[in-house]
C-alpha cells in the first residue's frame, strides 16, 4: 500500500509546487508594468480569438456593407454604417478584424505549444542520453536549421492546399530547433548535479529520472521558449498569409493586410491597414515582453548583482 | 591533427552532408508539385510532339528520376542552374543581379545594426535600470517581435505616403535606365529609394544585437577581472570598454548566423518595398511555377545558412576553446 501512495503523494507535492511556481510567476509579472500590460493584451487577444467571430456584426466575407441609398460602400472611411470603415470590396473591416483573430490564435497557440513540446522533448532526451542519440538528434536540428524556413514553407504550401493546421504543423516542424538547443544545454548541466546522479545510483529508470528529476528543472526555460514559440508562430503565420500562402477559407489579420496591399489601397485606406497591423504587432510584442520579464527570473546569469 | 582540426574536419563533413540533404529535400518537394509549367507551355503553345520532346530533353525530363537527380546535383555543384522557364534566360543570369540587389540592401544594414545596437546595448547594460535601458529594451522588443512587413507598412504610411519624404517602392525611379552596377547604386535616386528599406532592416535586426550585448555586459559586470580594473582606477567608460570587448564573441557568432539567414528574413521586406531582390524573385517564381528558378533561389538561401552556421561554429570553437565543441552557436 505504502509503495503505491508514496509516489502519488510525491506527485501531489510536485503539482502543488508547480502551482505555487506558476502563481509566483504571475505575482512577479504583475510587478513589472510592461509584462503586466502584455498580459492584458494577451488576455484580450485570447478573448477575441474565442469570441471574435461571434461578436462580428456581419459575416466578414459574405456580407456587403450598403449605405443609406442602397449602394455598396467601397473603401469608405469609418462611419456609423461601418465603425472601422469598409474594404475595397465593400466588406466590413470591423467584422474582418474580429473574425481574423481566430486563425491567429489557433496558429499561435498550437504552433507555439507544438514548438515547445517537440523542442522540449528533443532537448531533454538528447541532453540526457548523450552519445549517439544526442548526435543524431542534434544533426536533425542542424538540418532544420539548414533548411531555410520561409522558402521551404512557401514551397510546401504551393503543393499542398494551405489550411490552418498544415500551416501550424509546418511552423512547429521548423521552429522546434530553438527550444531543443536551449533545453539540451540546460539538461547537460542538470544531469551532472548530485540529485540526478543519486537518483540513477538508487536504481531509478532512465524514463523516471528524466521525468521526475531532469524535466522539472528545465521546465521554466521550456515554458519560456514555448511562449516565444507562440510569438514566432503568429509572426510566421501572418507573414505567410501576407505573401498569399495563408488558409484561403479563413479571414486572418495577415490576409487582410495582403488584400489591402495587393489591391493597391494602402495609400488611402488607413482604416483597413491599422486594425490587423496593430493587432499582430501588439500580440507578438506582448508575448516577448512577458518572456523578457520571465527570462530575468530564470536566467541566473543576468540576475547577478541585482 | 589537433583537436581543433579534427573538429573542423567533422564540422565540414557535416555541412557537406547537410547541404546534400537540403538539396535533396528541395528536389523531392519540387518533383511532388502537381502540374508543371511545361504542361501549360505544351498545351498553350500548339507544339507538335517533336517540339515537346525537344523541350523535355532540354530540361532533362526525358531521363529517369535518378538521372534527373544526378544531373540536378551536378548542375548545383557547377552553379549551372539551367534555364528559367518563364524568362527564357539562364537562371543565373536572372538571379545574379537580384542577389546583388539583395546584398546591397542587407549587408550594410546588418553591419550598421550590429555595430550601433551592440554599442547601445553595452551602454544600456552598463547603466542597468536607467531610463535609457528600459526605453531601448521596450522599443527594440517591439521592433524585433513585430513581423518585418508590418513595421515596413507603418514606415511606408508615415514617411512615404504622409510626409512624402521618400518613395514607397522600387529600387530606382521608373525612368532611370542605369548601365551596370556602379551606375545603378551610385546615384541620389538610388539613395532616395534605399533609405526606407535600409532603415526598416536596421531597426528590425537591432533588437537581437542590443539584447545580446546588454546581457553580455550585465553578466561581465560582476566578474573578477572588472573588479581588478576598478581597483586599478580605470574610468567607467574604460571598464565598459573591457566588459564590452569580453562579450563580443556571442555577438560575432550571432552576426554570422544572421548573415546566413538574411535572405529568407527579408523576402517580406523585398515584397513590401518591391525591391528587386532574390527574395521577391523567389515568391514570383513560386507563383509562376518556374522550377529551375525556384530551386536555384532556395539552394542559394540554404547554402547561405549552412555556410554561416559552419562559420559561426568554427568562430566560436576557435575563439573560445573552453566551449564544448558540439555546443557552439547561440540562439
Amino acid at each position: 500500500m505504502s509503495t503505491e501512495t508514496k509516489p502519488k503523494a510525491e506527485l501531489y507535492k510536485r503539482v502543488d509546487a508547480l502551482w505555487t511556481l506558476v502563481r509566483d510567476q504571475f505575482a512577479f509579472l504583475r510587478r513589472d508594468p510592461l509584462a503586466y500590460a502584455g498580459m492584458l493584451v494577451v488576455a484580450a487577444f485570447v478573448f477575441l480569438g474565442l469570441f471574435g467571430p461571434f461578436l462580428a456584426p456581419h459575416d466578414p466575407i459574405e456580407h456587403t456593407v450598403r449605405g443609406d441609398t442602397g449602394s455598396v460602400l467601397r473603401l469608405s472611411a469609418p462611419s456609423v454604417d461601418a465603425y472601422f470603415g469598409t474594404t475595397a470590396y465593400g466588406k466590413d473591416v470591423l467584422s474582418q478584424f474580429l473574425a481574423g483573430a481566430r486563425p491567429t490564435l489557433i496558429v499561435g497557440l498550437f504552433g507555439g505549444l507544438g514548438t515547445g513540446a517537440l523542442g522540449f522533448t528533443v532537448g531533454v532526451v538528447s541532453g540526457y542520453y548523450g552519445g549517439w542519440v544526442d548526435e543524431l538528434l542534434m544533426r536533425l536540428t542542424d538540418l532544420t536549421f539548414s533548411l531555410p524556413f520561409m522558402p521551404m514553407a512557401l514551397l510546401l504550401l504551393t503543393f499542398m492546399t494551405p489550411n490552418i493546421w498544415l500551416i501550424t504543423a509546418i511552423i512547429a516542424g521548423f521552429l522546434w530547433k530553438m527550444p531543443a538547443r536551449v533545453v539540451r544545454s540546460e539538461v547537460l548541466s542538470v544531469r551532472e548535479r548530485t540529485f540526478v546522479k543519486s537518483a540513477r545510483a538508487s536504481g531509478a529508470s532512465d524514463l523516471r529520472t528524466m521525468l521526475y528529476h531532469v524535466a522539472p528543472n528545465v521546465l521554466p526555460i521550456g515554458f519560456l521558449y514555448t511562449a516565444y514559440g507562440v510569438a514566432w508562430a503568429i509572426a510566421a503565420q501572418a507573414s505567410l498569409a501576407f505573401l498569399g500562402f495563408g488558409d484561403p477559407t479563413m479571414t486572418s489579420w495577415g490576409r487582410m493586410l495582403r488584400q489591402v496591399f495587393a489591391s493597391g489601397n494602402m495609400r488611402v485606406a488607413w482604416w483597413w491597414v491599422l486594425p490587423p497591423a496593430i493587432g499582430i504587432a501588439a500580440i507578438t510584442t506582448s508575448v516577448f515582453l512577458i518572456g523578457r520579464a520571465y527570462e530575468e527570473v530564470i536566467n541566473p546569469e543576468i540576475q547577478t548583482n541585482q | 591533427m589537433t583537436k581543433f582540426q579534427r573538429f573542423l574536419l567533422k564540422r565540414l563533413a557535416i555541412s557537406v552532408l547537410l547541404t546534400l540533404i537540403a538539396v535533396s529535400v528541395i528536389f523531392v518537394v519540387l518533383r511532388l508539385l502537381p502540374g508543371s509549367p511545361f504542361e501549360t507551355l505544351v498545351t498553350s503553345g500548339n507544339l507538335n510532339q517533336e517540339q515537346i520532346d525537344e523541350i523535355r530533353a532540354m530540361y532533362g525530363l526525358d531521363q529517369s528520376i535518378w538521372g534527373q537527380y544526378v544531373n540536378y546535383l551536378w548542375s548545383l555543384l557547377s552553379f549551372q542552374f539551367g534555364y528559367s522557364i518563364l524568362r527564357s534566360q539562364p537562371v543565373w543570369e536572372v538571379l545574379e543581379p537580384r542577389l546583388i540587389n539583395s546584398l546591397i540592401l542587407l549587408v550594410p544594414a546588418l553591419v550598421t545594426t550590429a555595430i550601433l545596437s551592440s554599442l547601445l546595448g553595452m551602454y544600456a547594460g552598463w547603466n542597468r535600470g536607467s531610463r535609457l535601458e528600459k526605453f531601448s529594451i521596450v522599443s527594440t522588443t517591439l521592433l524585433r517581435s513585430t513581423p518585418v512587413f508590418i513595421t515596413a507598412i507603418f514606415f511606408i504610411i508615415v514617411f512615404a505616403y504622409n510626409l512624402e519624404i521618400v518613395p514607397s517602392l522600387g529600387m530606382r525611379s521608373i525612368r532611370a535606365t542605369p548601365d551596370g552596377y556602379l551606375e545603378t547604386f551610385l546615384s541620389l535616386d538610388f539613395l532616395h529609394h534605399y533609405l526606407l528599406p535600409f532603415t526598416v532592416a536596421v531597426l528590425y535586426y537591432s533588437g537581437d544585437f542590443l539584447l545580446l550585448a546588454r546581457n553580455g555586459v550585465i553578466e561581465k559586470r560582476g566578474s573578477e577581472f572588472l573588479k581588478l580594473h576598478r581597483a586599478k582606477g580605470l574610468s567607467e567608460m574604460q571598464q565598459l570598454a573591457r566588459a564590452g570587448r569580453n562579450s563580443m564573441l556571442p555577438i560575432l557568432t550571432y552576426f554570422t548566423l544572421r548573415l546566413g539567414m538574411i535572405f529568407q528574413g527579408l523576402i517580406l521586406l523585398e515584397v513590401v518595398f518591391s525591391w528587386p531582390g532574390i527574395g521577391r524573385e523567389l515568391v514570383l517564381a513560386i507563383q509562376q511555377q518556374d522550377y529551375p528558378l525556384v530551386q536555384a533561389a532556395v539552394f542559394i538561401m540554404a547554402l547561405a545558412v549552412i555556410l554561416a552556421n559552419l562559420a559561426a561554429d568554427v568562430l566560436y570553437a576557435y575563439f573560445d576553446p573552453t566551449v564544448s565543441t558540439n555546443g557552439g552557436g547561440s540562439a
Side-chain angles (χ1 to χ4, degrees):
Chain A
M1 189 66 199
S2 67
T3 44
E4 236 181 76
T5 48
K6 211 182 145 207
K8 237 183 197 170
E10 179 76 357
L11 191 68
Y12 283 139
K13 226 168 71 196
R14 276 174 198 283
V15 171
D16 217 41
L18 199 67
W19 178 236
T20 318
L21 184 89
V22 171
R23 246 189 356 225
D24 285 353
Q25 300 311 333
F26 270 105
F28 165 79
L29 286 180
R30 281 197 64 150
R31 280 205 304 277
D32 185 332
L34 286 170
Y36 191 45
M39 239 163 59
L40 293 180
V41 172
V42 171
F45 171 69
V46 171
F47 177 79
L48 271 186
L50 290 176
F51 303 109
F54 306 116
L55 292 175
H58 307 292
D59 187 286
I61 299 167
E62 300 279 311
H63 181 82
T64 314
V65 183
R66 289 175 190 278
D68 296 333
T69 54
S71 59
V72 176
L73 292 178
R74 289 176 204 281
L75 281 184
S76 109
S79 65
V80 278
D81 293 318
Y83 297 116
F84 277 25
T86 61
T87 73
Y89 318 103
K91 311 297 175 189
D92 184 26
V93 173
L94 177 64
S95 304
Q96 291 202 343
F97 174 73
L98 289 171
R102 179 167 286 179
T104 314
L105 176 70
I106 293 177
V107 176
L109 193 65
F110 290 100
L113 284 180
T115 303
L118 211 60
F120 188 77
T121 315
V122 170
V124 168
V125 170
S126 177
Y128 179 78
Y129 282 110
W132 66 268
V133 177
D134 183 35
E135 190 73 15
L136 189 78
L137 287 174
M138 281 304 109
R139 293 296 83 80
L140 198 65
T141 60
D142 281 349
L143 181 65
T144 47
F145 263 110
S146 332
L147 289 171
F149 168 68
M150 254 304 160
M152 288 313 289
L154 294 183
L155 264 187
L156 291 170
L157 288 172
T158 35
F159 85 96
M160 295 189 260
T161 330
N163 74 56
I164 197 155
W165 299 108
L166 179 67
I167 293 171
T168 308
I170 292 178
I171 288 172
F174 271 96
L175 293 183
W176 60 268
K177 62 202 174 187
M178 313 271 197
R181 277 208 167 177
V182 182
V183 167
R184 172 182 171 272
S185 63
E186 283 291 293
V187 170
L188 286 182
S189 75
V190 170
R191 193 176 62 169
E192 298 309 316
R193 290 202 211 143
T194 330
F195 66 90
V196 177
K197 287 190 164 164
S198 54
R200 294 182 65 186
S202 63
S205 69
D206 280 344
L207 189 68
R208 195 189 156 81
T209 318
M210 254 193 289
L211 225 55
Y212 284 104
H213 300 284
V214 176
N217 284 289
V218 292
L219 211 53
I221 203 140
F223 278 143
L224 176 66
Y225 274 78
T226 307
Y228 284 159
V230 171
W232 291 327
I234 289 173
Q237 186 257 357
S239 305
L240 287 170
F242 180 74
L243 291 176
F245 295 84
D247 187 332
T249 61
M250 274 177 128
T251 305
S252 75
W253 291 345
R255 206 167 135 76
M256 287 176 76
L257 286 169
R258 169 174 178 76
Q259 284 174 342
V260 63
F261 179 75
S263 67
N265 290 305
M266 223 168 75
R267 189 182 283 271
V268 278
W270 54 268
W271 59 86
W272 188 2
V273 178
L274 292 185
I278 292 176
I280 295 169
I283 179 66
T284 47
T285 307
S286 298
V287 173
F288 266 97
L289 283 177
I290 296 174
R292 275 225 64 75
Y294 194 40
E295 203 165 355
E296 307 255 308
V297 191
I298 60 173
N299 187 345
E301 279 175 336
I302 312 184
Q303 266 180 316
T304 48
N305 283 352
Q306 288 288 320
Chain B
M1 221 196 294
T2 65
K3 205 178 163 207
F4 179 70
Q5 279 170 331
R6 219 172 23 242
F7 162 75
L8 198 64
L9 210 65
K10 185 183 159 200
R11 200 59 196 73
L12 259 174
I14 289 170
S15 295
V16 171
L17 196 69
L18 284 177
T19 314
L20 196 68
I21 296 176
V23 297
S24 306
V25 170
I26 298 168
F27 179 82
V28 171
V29 167
L30 280 171
R31 290 307 176 281
L32 284 176
L33 287 168
S36 85
F38 303 105
E39 275 167 30
T40 36
L41 201 68
V42 169
T43 46
S44 67
N46 275 328
L47 306 173
N48 60 29
Q49 194 56 45
E50 212 169 294
Q51 287 165 309
I52 292 172
D53 289 342
E54 198 180 317
I55 288 176
R56 288 178 60 84
M58 192 172 126
Y59 288 100
L61 292 174
D62 51 347
Q63 295 169 29
S64 71
I65 195 89
W66 287 109
Q68 289 184 36
Y69 181 64
V70 170
N71 279 346
Y72 161 80
L73 288 185
W74 183 243
S75 68
L76 292 185
L77 271 179
S78 51
F79 261 62
Q80 299 294 318
F81 298 116
Y83 254 68
S84 158
I85 295 168
L86 282 141
R87 291 176 190 271
S88 36
Q89 238 180 322
V91 165
W92 185 240
E93 255 172 49
V94 180
L95 280 184
E96 195 201 302
R98 288 174 174 81
L99 193 61
I100 291 182
N101 290 344
S102 286
L103 291 175
I104 207 104
L105 172 61
L106 307 174
V107 174
L110 199 60
V111 172
T112 309
T113 197
I115 295 172
L116 287 184
S117 58
S118 299
L119 289 177
L120 187 65
M122 285 172 192
Y123 188 75
W126 193 257
N127 296 291
R128 190 158 194 215
S130 67
R131 200 170 286 173
L132 173 92
E133 194 219 8
K134 288 198 178 107
F135 174 75
S136 64
I137 285 183
V138 176
S139 50
T140 51
T141 304
L142 175 72
L143 286 165
R144 85 168 178 150
S145 49
T146 305
V148 68
F149 71 94
I150 289 182
T151 316
I153 285 174
F154 277 122
F155 272 70
I156 290 177
I157 289 179
V158 173
F159 293 101
Y161 294 164
N162 286 313
L163 300 176
E164 295 185 358
I165 306 173
V166 283
S168 62
L169 55 90
M171 199 174 76
R172 291 294 308 261
S173 71
I174 302 164
R175 282 203 225 122
T177 48
D179 206 21
Y181 290 126
L182 229 75
E183 240 178 81
T184 313
F185 300 133
L186 286 179
S187 72
L188 273 179
D189 178 42
F190 174 76
L191 185 70
H192 203 201
H193 285 80
Y194 189 69
L195 231 47
L196 207 52
F198 175 78
T199 312
V200 173
V202 165
L203 290 176
Y204 178 63
Y205 285 125
S206 65
D208 291 324
F209 288 103
L210 189 134
L211 293 173
L212 215 54
R214 166 189 170 271
N215 292 353
V217 167
I218 288 176
E219 277 169 33
K220 298 289 177 305
R221 260 198 98 162
S223 56
E224 296 295 322
F225 81 94
L226 271 188
K227 281 186 192 145
L228 173 72
H229 284 311
R230 198 169 307 135
K232 281 197 317 203
L234 264 75
S235 74
E236 284 280 305
M237 267 312 168
Q238 284 167 320
Q239 288 176 44
L240 171 56
R242 280 162 180 76
R245 200 173 60 202
N246 276 289
S247 40
M248 277 306 288
L249 187 54
I251 296 174
L252 198 66
T253 355
Y254 187 72
F255 178 80
T256 10
L257 286 177
R258 263 290 161 213
L259 205 60
M261 281 153 70
I262 210 164
F263 301 116
Q264 28 168 341
L266 295 190
I267 290 177
L268 285 144
L269 198 67
E270 292 181 356
V271 168
V272 178
F273 286 107
S274 303
W275 190 267
I278 189 172
R280 185 164 167 271
E281 190 61 30
L282 173 71
V283 173
L284 294 176
I286 285 181
Q287 282 163 357
Q288 299 162 338
Q289 299 209 329
D290 192 344
Y291 295 171
L293 203 54
V294 172
Q295 76 191 18
V298 178
F299 170 70
I300 291 173
M301 292 180 184
L303 193 66
V305 176
I306 292 172
L307 289 179
N309 274 331
L310 176 69
D313 276 9
V314 171
L315 266 179
Y316 218 112
Y318 183 77
F319 283 115
D320 192 353
T322 57
V323 172
S324 139
T325 40
N326 53 18
S330 64

